[in-house]
Amino acid sequence: MTPSTNSRKQRLSLSMPGARPAYTKVPVSKGKPQLNSDDLFSGTREINILHNDDTYRLTITKQGKLILTK
């Protein structure tokens, strides 16, 4: 997929040297950002998301589905 002119700019992660960016250049449809799960998970099957002072866990199941738990 080729990025369009109104793609999101790439944002670098400062947490680890050589870490993959949290956002990659992807076309934006109807003003909604789009993240690639491969970039988001960076080879792991689980990530933590901090939202309004609460931590949520986003997990990839064996079937390849996503589960969000608080």
Side-chain angles (χ1 to χ4, degrees):
M1 186 178 285
T2 305
S4 64
T5 55
N6 57 344
S7 295
R8 294 263 182 216
K9 291 186 178 182
Q10 197 171 25
R11 187 174 82 177
L12 299 177
S13 172
L14 301 176
S15 59
M16 297 182 344
R20 295 169 66 174
Y23 291 100
T24 56
K25 293 182 179 180
V26 293
V28 176
S29 63
K30 299 180 183 178
K32 297 177 184 175
Q34 180 176 340
L35 301 173
N36 185 321
S37 64
D38 292 335
D39 294 333
L40 193 59
F41 283 89
S42 299
T44 65
R45 299 195 62 86
E46 185 176 295
I47 59 172
N48 290 321
I49 300 170
L50 183 61
H51 177 71
N52 292 336
D53 295 328
D54 289 321
T55 300
Y56 294 81
R57 184 173 62 209
L58 186 61
T59 306
I60 301 175
T61 67
K62 290 179 183 178
Q63 294 80 27
K65 298 184 181 199
L66 295 175
I67 296 178
L68 181 66
T69 54
K70 186 171 180 183

